[in-house]
Amino acid sequence: MANIWAWPRGPRQRLPRTVAPFAYEAATSYAARLAHANRIGVHTLRGYVAESCNARPRPDWLAAVSGQPEQVIRARLRGLAGEPGALKQNMRRPLCRRCMAGKGIREPVYCYLPAHLTVCHRHRRWVGPLAQTFDDQLDLRGHPQVLRAARTHWRLANRYAELDLRAALGDARHMLVYWAHAERRETATILQGGLHAHVSAYPEVISIAATLLTARPQIEQPDGSTSSASALLIVRIGERTTTHHYDDTPVEQWVQNRRQVSKLSGGRSSAAH
């Protein structure tokens, strides 16, 4: 028999002020903004909209206190109760500071942005990986090559499957690291850590990844030798990056791997969207 005297669970009344959630926004970030708007403690509100202090916010309870439709809460926020899997913390970064200031928002709006959203083109600021604070949002007005790379990255993300793009980016980084060591370029940005090095290497990484993805349908065909295919591909990479590499070892390895994968999968290369 149900306990009719059980204390009611969950919020029963909406707060006086609401704020609109942004796409990909972390549920905890949204709860913090909602708390600030209503001048109440962040931890107080987070405990109010979750099963416990350490639990994720419930979408129905967050909708109740914010006055926002539950379907909007579910569609836009990430990290809600009931969502499967863990969130990748390296994808959690604030939206463009200047965009938010234009909307009257002064505190950071943390979002789990997709990997291909790296630049605010309106304000020419870096909002990609490693930009964990407002101070990390580098000014790109003097770096048009980074802005172009970000547009290419976005187009690749809309054309190719996520796993294929991720693999191409990893392969591109592997090639650049190999060439930096082989050519004894200790100052190569790909060998360095930190935000500035990551952004500096970004255009070359994107250019090589785009070249690999474009070449895959031809490379995965069994016609032609591996050496001739790798020689042609390294020329394409040089044309696209304006950097010439004479050691085609990493490219030849990539060609061999792609042909082996294609052979094992029956010659079916991954199709573009």
Side-chain angles (χ1 to χ4, degrees), residues 136-151:
D136 295 333
Q137 295 179 349
L138 302 180
D139 187 346
L140 301 175
R141 284 177 292 182
H143 303 276
Q145 71 279 11
V146 178
L147 300 175
R148 289 194 297 268
R151 293 188 181 94

Side-chain angles (χ1 to χ4, degrees), residues 191-206:
L191 297 178
Q192 302 172 26
L195 175 63
H196 289 271
H198 180 89
V199 175
S200 295
Y202 178 70
E204 198 168 6
V205 171
I206 295 299

Side-chain angles (χ1 to χ4, degrees), residues 230-270:
S230 60
L232 177 60
L233 186 54
I234 201 169
V235 169
R236 291 183 183 178
I237 291 174
E239 291 173 346
R240 194 151 190 171
T241 62
T242 66
T243 302
H244 298 286
H245 303 284
Y246 300 99
D247 188 340
D248 65 352
T249 301
V251 178
E252 188 170 346
Q253 291 175 343
W254 182 83
V255 172
Q256 291 174 345
N257 290 338
R258 289 314 317 164
R259 287 185 170 178
Q260 184 65 24
V261 170
S262 178
K263 182 178 180 181
L264 292 175
S265 62
R268 298 189 305 273
S269 62
S270 55

Side-chain angles (χ1 to χ4, degrees), residues 45-179:
L45 181 59
R46 286 180 180 176
Y48 194 46
V49 296
E51 297 281 359
S52 67
C53 293
N54 297 323
R56 293 180 175 185
R58 283 183 45 159
D60 53 342
W61 291 1
L62 199 51
V65 297
S66 67
Q68 298 287 330
E70 185 177 342
Q71 61 267 30
V72 172
I73 294 292
R74 289 183 179 274
R76 296 185 183 178
L77 299 185
R78 300 294 181 268
L80 293 166
E83 289 184 1
L87 294 168
K88 296 180 179 179
Q89 292 303 314
N90 63 336
M91 299 178 71
R92 186 180 186 270
R93 46 192 193 268
L95 295 179
C96 174
R97 181 178 193 169
R98 294 186 179 180
C99 287
M100 295 301 97
K103 298 178 182 294
I105 301 172
R106 301 299 175 184
E107 67 267 23
V109 178
Y110 290 100
C111 297
Y112 290 95
L113 295 176
H116 64 277
L117 296 183
T118 58
V119 167
C120 171
H121 289 281
R122 180 179 181 183
H123 297 107
R124 301 180 185 179
R125 311 288 292 188
W126 178 261
V127 295
L130 304 184
Q132 301 299 316
T133 67
F134 280 155
D135 291 337
D136 295 333
Q137 295 179 349
L138 302 180
D139 187 346
L140 301 175
R141 284 177 292 182
H143 303 276
Q145 71 279 11
V146 178
L147 300 175
R148 289 194 297 268
R151 293 188 181 94
T152 300
H153 196 174
W154 186 89
R155 288 194 295 269
L156 293 175
N158 283 274
R159 181 178 180 185
Y160 296 97
E162 181 182 355
L163 290 178
D164 291 338
L165 176 54
R166 190 187 308 166
L169 291 170
D171 292 334
R173 286 190 170 275
H174 169 77
M175 290 180 183
L176 287 173
V177 169
Y178 178 93
W179 284 322

